Amino acid sequence: DAGVIQSPRHEVTEMGQEVTLRCKPISGHNSLFWYRQTMMRGLELLIYFNNNVPIDDSGMPEDRFSAKMPNASFSTLKIQPSEPRDSAVYFCASSRSAGGWDTQYFGPGTRLTVL
Amino acid sequence: DQQVKQNSPSLSVQEGRISILNCDYTNSMFDYFLWYKKYPAEGPTFLISISSIKDKNEDGRFTVFLNKSAKHLSLHIVPSQPGDSAVYFCAASGAGGGSQGNLIFGKGTKLSVKP
């Protein structure tokens, strides 16, 4: 059974370019989470969806970041325009429900480098 | 302001000995705690959890202890094995869904188990 799938695994781009990260959650999971991991801030939640609806986007750094979930099997995180400080590893995770007790399954992450 | 703190960035232990990883939290509303393990170039994977109504949960070589009065939890690995070498994240959440269900992660402790 496939786990959470993320693409690309690595992305190198130049400042000012648009970046789109993709995620396919585990089939049957109703909640999807986007996290960012940096040395300074650790692993922080950016946004999460429940039944394709954004529930909490308070972790999204600023308007340059946007996320969508057009259907139950696909989500995107877009950064436009990208900046060097956006360089980080971005993880997508999914779970059966949005409750904190429900195990979240993480994808392998996308390592983003903005030059 | 970190709500979940892992004050030891790294820990080195001899194979066969006990590994003790510590975690402190500040929010008394947290009622569910989890440990995740992360290998390089992979996403975090769920290891073990504990509800605030318990003070201990055991799963094979892994035991999590919770001291609510001290707002402290610890993960014990006995005996430690080289394959346990990874970064361990402590996470906490409040009750229910919505924002309270969000996982708040510590910055992680890198465990090295030497043969």
Side-chain angles (χ1 to χ4, degrees), chain A residues 9 35 37 39-43 45 48 55-56 91 98-101 103-104 106-108, chain B residues 32 34 36 38 41-44 46 89 93 95-99 101-103 105-107:
Chain A
R9 292 294 309 272
Y35 290 89
Q37 184 184 20
M39 290 291 291
M40 288 293 293
R41 301 176 67 88
L43 196 60
L45 178 69
Y48 84 91
I55 302 299
D56 184 357
F91 290 103
W101 59 85
T103 301
Q104 293 184 21
F106 283 75
Chain B
Y32 199 72
L34 309 90
Y36 277 77
K38 184 184 179 305
E42 295 182 10
F46 171 75
F89 290 96
S93 75
S99 297
N102 292 352
L103 288 184
F105 283 86
K107 289 190 175 182

Side-chain angles (χ1 to χ4, degrees), chain B residues 73-95:
Chain B
L73 64 155
S74 60
L75 174 68
H76 293 211
I77 306 173
V78 184
S80 302
Q81 299 173 354
D84 296 329
S85 297
V87 177
Y88 289 79
F89 290 96
C90 171
S93 75

Side-chain angles (χ1 to χ4, degrees), chain B residues 16-75:
Chain B
R17 300 290 189 104
I18 183 172
S19 295
I20 300 177
L21 296 97
N22 294 303
C23 178
D24 297 296
Y25 62 96
T26 58
N27 189 339
S28 58
M29 296 301 291
F30 288 147
D31 65 354
Y32 199 72
F33 304 89
L34 309 90
W35 286 93
Y36 277 77
K37 180 167 78 171
K38 184 184 179 305
Y39 293 118
E42 295 182 10
T45 56
F46 171 75
L47 186 58
I48 192 170
S49 62
I50 188 167
S51 164
S52 60
I53 63 174
K54 295 186 174 182
D55 55 18
K56 176 183 175 181
N57 188 26
E58 192 171 352
D59 183 1
R61 297 186 297 112
F62 302 91
T63 303
V64 56
F65 294 92
L66 176 62
N67 183 333
K68 284 180 61 179
S69 61
K71 294 191 178 70
H72 177 83
L73 64 155
S74 60
L75 174 68

